Amino acid sequence: ALAVHGGYGTKLEAVVRRVKMIRDKLPEDKIIIFSTWQDALDIVAHALGHNGVPSLYPKNRKAFDESLSQFRVCDASTEKTPRVLLLLLKQGGNGLNLQQAQHVMFLEPVMDPGEELQAVGRVDRMGPTRDTIVHRYSFRNSGEENVLRISAEKRRAHQGKGHKTNVAMTVAEVSQLLR
């Protein structure tokens, strides 16, 4: 197993380990890491840096445009080349084209399958010659696992109906989250 330096917790260590593995085995691949929470991305950026993995993490509009430009044109010529882009889920919204990436990671489950599809759709567009690999992280036996299950059920129920889904939760779904 690849060593992860620092005490970042089980989930973030798994994310850093996976990023390092991808960089080692697939040096041309690019990765986008999404989270709903800016604080989570702050910690991931620190963990990646502490483990020698350069990343791009835009926190304002000017940095966003510069980071996207740098991410799109970077190559694997050096270990210092940032091939990891950290984005808030809401930043990965409509119209953004990031088909240079091959991996999409979600730090936590996304309740709305349409929102998740929207983020994956930034990468998985017409033209790429390789498959997009989606990595989802959640804690077992937790509310996150319940969100994953409910989201998967909603995805199956709305398959083939486009990106719009009903995000309103039923009483039964709220009950499932609290189990």
Side-chain angles (χ1 to χ4, degrees), residues 51-135:
N51 283 275
V53 179
S55 63
L56 298 164
Y57 177 32
K59 291 187 179 183
N60 59 49
R61 185 66 189 164
K62 183 179 180 197
F64 184 76
D65 292 339
E66 290 172 10
S67 293
L68 289 182
S69 211
Q70 191 175 354
F71 182 76
R72 287 180 175 131
V73 299
C74 72
D75 60 26
S77 60
T78 72
E79 278 296 308
K80 303 260 187 254
T81 302
R83 294 186 328 266
V84 180
L85 177 63
L86 308 175
L87 291 177
L88 287 167
L89 193 56
K90 65 183 177 185
Q91 288 176 305
N94 296 329
L96 189 58
N97 183 346
L98 295 166
Q99 71 184 53
Q100 296 81 4
Q102 293 75 36
H103 300 267
V104 175
M105 295 181 175
F106 292 99
L107 290 184
E108 61 274 328
V110 180
M111 177 61 79
D112 176 9
E115 194 172 30
E116 184 177 295
L117 283 171
Q118 193 73 246
V120 172
R122 302 305 106 220
V123 174
D124 194 20
R125 295 197 168 229
M126 300 284 281
T129 56
R130 296 177 53 203
D131 290 336
T132 301
I133 300 165
V134 178
H135 310 262

Side-chain angles (χ1 to χ4, degrees), residues 15 22 25 37 39 41 64 99 121-123 126 129 146 160:
V15 170
I22 292 168
K25 294 187 183 225
W37 311 104
D39 290 347
L41 290 177
F64 184 76
Q99 71 184 53
R122 302 305 106 220
V123 174
M126 300 284 281
T129 56
N146 293 336

